[in-house]
Amino acid sequence: MVIRSLFSKKKEDGQEKGFPEGLMTKCPECRHIQLTKELEKNHKVCTKCDHHFKMTAQERIAYFLDEGSFVSMDDHLQTSNPLNFPDYVEKISVAKQQTGLSEAVLTGLGTLDGEEIVVAIMDSHFRMGSMGSVVGEKITRAVEKAIELRVPVIIFTASGGARMQEGILSLMQMVKTSVALKRHSEEGLLFISIMTHPTYGGVSASFASVGDINIAEPQALIGFAGRRVIEETLREKLPNDFQKSEFLLAHGQLDAIFHRKDLRNQVAILVKMHTKGGVQHV
């Protein structure tokens, strides 16, 4: 939450002057107010309570991959409106302008500590990271490129689930992406799934959960249906930490939780351990 009017403004020469917009950011968890620049230097993790803010796809690229190594793929793919859903095309256009992305996932080639990988990074700022046909196609093509190059694939998930405006076509992406990853696995190649806040719906029920190694960031909400829906179905109260990454780790649905400051180095070690000759460099 960006603080816009925290301090009183002083009038000078009849003009109101205040702090520049976006100068300060308030943590939604502990309410601590910090300089936005300091928050960004800390990889968008609250300096007081360690709350992990959402990151854009571009920010993850800059933090996670070796500098200057990323080459984007399939940005030419365009979302259509197969069900003639009202105002859908206009909403996609707005999301493009707001995020600088062509769709809710950014895919491409890059290196991680010198090791070549293929990445797919979902961005919840684009229509809540919902999975439509183009998102599924881009992830599938990324996995196929990893098979062609015989390199690991790493997918960062951040999604509210399937995209309702595309109906059954959106749900079909669950199968398409999972089949591509099955082929990748049959080639003996590594897939690391990194679940961030939030990872829900059809994404959590498909490619996000089938990694050779499933990782999450702290306190990330991960699940299929929402808490209220599950409680009404089961007719019982769920634990307070239900669907948080720590709960999933304790119940065997995750292999590890890494703090964002450690994530890059830890994943780089895992990639090298599972890449031919990589153990020598760990």
Side-chain angles (χ1 to χ4, degrees), residues 1-125:
M1 182 184 299
V2 177
I3 305 305
R4 300 186 179 184
S5 303
L6 282 178
F7 308 99
S8 59
K9 297 179 179 179
K10 296 181 179 180
K11 287 189 176 181
E12 296 182 13
D13 299 328
Q15 299 292 323
E16 285 191 345
K17 292 191 175 182
F19 288 88
E21 183 175 341
L23 178 67
M24 310 291 289
T25 300
K26 179 188 287 185
C27 175
E29 288 295 319
C30 70
R31 319 303 289 175
H32 174 60
I33 298 170
Q34 54 209 301
L35 286 169
T36 301
K37 286 186 177 179
E38 291 300 316
L39 180 66
E40 291 171 349
K41 286 181 182 178
N42 202 39
H43 305 307
K44 299 189 79 171
V45 176
C46 177
T47 55
K48 185 175 182 179
C49 74
D50 264 355
H51 170 72
H52 285 51
F53 285 74
K54 295 178 182 178
M55 297 183 83
T56 67
Q58 296 93 331
E59 287 171 335
R60 286 203 181 274
I61 289 293
Y63 157 68
F64 189 70
L65 295 180
D66 296 341
E67 185 176 357
S69 69
F70 180 69
V71 179
S72 186
M73 293 170 48
D74 299 317
D75 293 325
H76 65 284
L77 296 178
Q78 298 295 315
T79 299
S80 62
N81 190 5
L83 304 183
N84 295 318
F85 205 93
D87 301 323
Y88 181 42
V89 173
E90 290 76 8
K91 290 177 180 178
I92 291 296
S93 296
V94 170
K96 288 180 179 180
Q97 294 173 4
Q98 291 175 338
T99 63
L101 298 173
S102 63
E103 248 297 347
V105 66
L106 181 62
T107 60
L109 310 172
T111 60
L112 175 61
D113 201 15
E115 297 292 336
E116 187 176 10
I117 60 171
V118 171
V119 293
I121 301 177
M122 302 189 76
D123 193 328
S124 61
H125 299 87

Side-chain angles (χ1 to χ4, degrees), residues 45-277:
V45 176
C46 177
T47 55
K48 185 175 182 179
C49 74
D50 264 355
H51 170 72
H52 285 51
F53 285 74
K54 295 178 182 178
M55 297 183 83
T56 67
Q58 296 93 331
E59 287 171 335
R60 286 203 181 274
I61 289 293
Y63 157 68
F64 189 70
L65 295 180
D66 296 341
E67 185 176 357
S69 69
F70 180 69
V71 179
S72 186
M73 293 170 48
D74 299 317
D75 293 325
H76 65 284
L77 296 178
Q78 298 295 315
T79 299
S80 62
N81 190 5
L83 304 183
N84 295 318
F85 205 93
D87 301 323
Y88 181 42
V89 173
E90 290 76 8
K91 290 177 180 178
I92 291 296
S93 296
V94 170
K96 288 180 179 180
Q97 294 173 4
Q98 291 175 338
T99 63
L101 298 173
S102 63
E103 248 297 347
V105 66
L106 181 62
T107 60
L109 310 172
T111 60
L112 175 61
D113 201 15
E115 297 292 336
E116 187 176 10
I117 60 171
V118 171
V119 293
I121 301 177
M122 302 189 76
D123 193 328
S124 61
H125 299 87
F126 193 112
R127 305 295 300 164
M128 198 50 213
S130 53
M131 180 173 61
S133 300
V134 171
V135 170
E137 181 66 17
K138 290 189 70 173
I139 292 174
T140 299
R141 291 191 184 196
V143 175
E144 289 173 344
K145 176 59 72 172
I147 295 172
E148 176 189 334
L149 299 176
R150 301 198 61 77
V151 299
V153 62
I154 297 174
I155 302 179
F156 285 83
T157 55
S159 177
R163 188 171 296 175
M164 59 173 290
Q165 292 90 345
E166 296 188 26
I168 191 66
L169 297 175
S170 175
L171 296 178
M172 289 170 64
Q173 309 311 308
M174 297 171 62
V175 178
K176 183 165 70 175
T177 53
S178 297
V179 168
L181 286 165
K182 175 63 174 175
R183 290 182 51 229
H184 185 266
S185 176
E186 289 172 346
E187 294 293 324
L189 302 171
L190 175 68
F191 165 39
I192 298 178
S193 176
I194 303 176
M195 290 172 256
T196 71
H197 178 78
T199 296
Y200 266 95
V203 170
S204 71
S206 56
F207 58 87
S209 300
V210 297
D212 297 306
I213 303 173
N214 292 326
I215 298 169
E217 290 187 329
Q219 295 293 304
L221 281 175
I222 303 165
F224 181 65
R227 181 189 187 93
R228 180 175 57 83
V229 173
I230 297 174
E231 286 185 333
E232 290 178 354
T233 301
L234 298 178
R235 300 182 184 277
E236 63 179 68
K237 186 72 174 176
L238 296 169
N240 290 333
D241 62 347
F242 179 70
Q243 292 188 331
K244 287 192 176 180
S245 50
E246 289 76 9
F247 182 91
L248 270 65
L249 179 65
H251 290 80
Q253 292 181 271
L254 289 174
D255 297 302
I257 296 173
F258 292 141
H259 190 286
R260 192 172 289 162
K261 67 180 175 61
D262 302 319
L263 182 63
R264 185 185 190 277
N265 289 337
Q266 292 293 337
V267 175
I269 291 172
L270 290 171
V271 168
K272 289 183 177 182
M273 287 176 63
H274 291 82
T275 301
K276 184 177 180 181

